[in-house]
Amino acid sequence: MARFNIDFMGNRKIMFAISAVLIIVSIGALAFKGLKFGIEFQGGTVVIVADAKAVTETQMSDAFKKAGVQNANVQTSVVNGVRGFIIRTDVTDPIESNTDAIAVAKATGLPADTLQVTTIGPGWGKNITNSAMLALGLSILAILLYVSLRFEYKMSITAIVALAHDILITLGIYALVGREVTPNTVAALLTILGYSLYDTIVVFHRIKENSQGLVKQSFMSMANESINEVLVRSLNTTLTSMIPVVVMLLFGGSTLKDFALALTIGLGVGAYSSIGVAAPLYAMWKETEPKYKALAKKFAN
């Protein structure tokens, strides 16, 4: 098998610049457009009209206003070639939501049973949000503890920086394209933590092995060789992981697509950050230690 000899460390400033641009765009999207949370997080009602027949979006919006719902968000959907609507409102009372749906069906001439109404109260949404934040916090703490004990604290901190990079960019893309954040998205973000960390650990493990008794080259040069040694493995792992996820994204239903979109972005960004963010940051930090600082000076061109 051919061995790669790519100068990742020599081009680390380019990779940092790419990450900086992606992060700035993501922060801008989150700040100015914000995330669109599903009703599972904030409470509300979703009305799905599978077959809209000849009813237009304007007529549907007017029907909700006539029923007393002023802020209904009406979106057109097409499933299997059939045009329909997805309507979101902030009504959190199931009885009121069903009454509104009956009035809308009457105003538009659609059969009442074609409107599927789902209402979630604000308390349930708050519980979901708290559970998601708790899961995310515990995951990060567990990662910090494990990597610090198994390797060293500098690896754990740079790994967390890479994970934050991955999550921020994934959420930024969600904000940029206006994709709704659902519990499936949160599940995908937690899965991304695992995949991204796996890639980073593979690189760190090889760096740790190769750093034993290091005297014939700089730490930066050794880290670059280590990345090239595991590059094929990382590429194969990422590609085989992404294939089923991309298939889910292309052919899965709406529920699976929420999960697959976040996972597709996260897997790609996570594979990049292991090589382009975590490893260079760790190598730069290690070269501040006296031993490796001396090696860097000795083998400087």
Side-chain angles (χ1 to χ4, degrees):
M1 182 181 294
R3 179 176 170 178
F4 289 96
N5 187 24
I6 302 172
D7 188 10
F8 292 106
M9 293 301 173
N11 293 301
R12 62 184 181 277
K13 290 183 180 178
I14 296 174
M15 294 189 289
F16 287 160
I18 293 171
S19 291
V21 170
L22 291 174
I23 288 173
I24 290 170
V25 171
S26 298
I27 292 174
L30 289 167
F32 293 104
K33 294 192 69 176
L35 289 172
K36 186 166 73 175
F37 290 98
I39 64 169
E40 295 89 348
F41 290 97
Q42 56 189 3
T45 295
V46 172
V47 180
I48 296 176
V49 181
D51 185 357
K53 301 188 183 303
V55 178
T56 66
E57 192 171 310
T58 302
Q59 289 172 327
M60 182 59 71
S61 182
D62 290 342
F64 269 90
K65 288 179 182 176
K66 189 176 178 182
V69 182
Q70 299 299 322
N71 58 349
N73 181 359
V74 182
Q75 291 180 312
T76 300
S77 65
V78 178
V79 179
N80 297 327
V82 180
R83 189 177 64 88
F85 294 117
I86 299 175
I87 306 102
R88 294 176 174 81
T89 75
D90 57 6
V91 178
T92 56
D93 182 0
I95 297 175
E96 185 181 346
S97 298
N98 283 309
T99 303
D100 294 339
I102 292 170
V104 168
K106 186 177 180 181
T108 56
L110 292 171
D113 59 0
T114 61
L115 278 68
Q116 302 172 24
V117 182
T118 304
T119 303
I120 294 177
W124 195 82
K126 186 177 179 181
N127 289 335
I128 286 288
T129 303
N130 291 339
S131 298
M133 296 306 295
L134 179 64
L136 185 62
L138 289 176
S139 299
I140 291 174
L141 281 176
I143 290 167
L144 273 171
L145 183 63
Y146 172 75
V147 179
S148 295
L149 293 176
R150 178 66 178 82
F151 297 96
E152 68 168 300
Y153 78 95
K154 290 179 180 177
M155 285 185 176
S156 68
I157 292 175
T158 49
I160 292 298
V161 170
L163 291 178
H165 165 279
D166 302 341
I167 298 295
L168 185 58
I169 291 174
T170 303
L171 289 177
I173 292 175
Y174 259 69
L176 201 60
V177 301
R179 188 81 182 185
E180 191 173 80
V181 176
T182 67
N184 287 329
T185 310
V186 176
L189 291 176
L190 293 174
T191 308
I192 289 168
L193 295 182
Y195 273 112
S196 178
L197 184 66
Y198 175 80
D199 272 341
T200 303
I201 291 299
V202 168
V203 174
F204 280 173
H205 189 266
R206 184 54 59 92
I207 290 175
K208 184 183 179 183
E209 284 183 342
N210 291 343
S211 66
Q212 305 300 316
L214 182 67
V215 292
K216 295 183 178 179
Q217 59 182 335
S218 68
F219 192 93
M220 192 71 75
S221 175
M222 177 277 299
N224 194 71
E225 282 188 9
S226 301
I227 293 173
N228 278 287
E229 287 172 5
V230 299
L231 186 58
V232 172
R233 178 180 175 181
S234 295
L235 288 174
N236 286 337
T237 302
T238 302
L239 287 175
T240 51
S241 300
M242 287 191 76
I243 288 172
V245 177
V246 171
V247 171
M248 274 198 296
L249 179 63
L250 296 176
F251 302 106
S254 58
T255 304
L256 287 178
K257 282 185 177 179
D258 287 338
F259 182 79
L261 176 62
L263 211 51
T264 301
I265 298 168
L267 283 174
V269 178
Y272 166 77
S273 69
S274 299
I275 293 171
V277 177
L281 284 177
Y282 175 66
M284 290 169 64
W285 198 352
K286 289 295 286 184
E287 286 209 329
T288 62
E289 296 177 9
K291 174 184 174 183
Y292 298 122
K293 193 174 183 180
L295 283 177
K297 187 176 180 181
K298 180 179 179 181
F299 292 102
N301 292 325

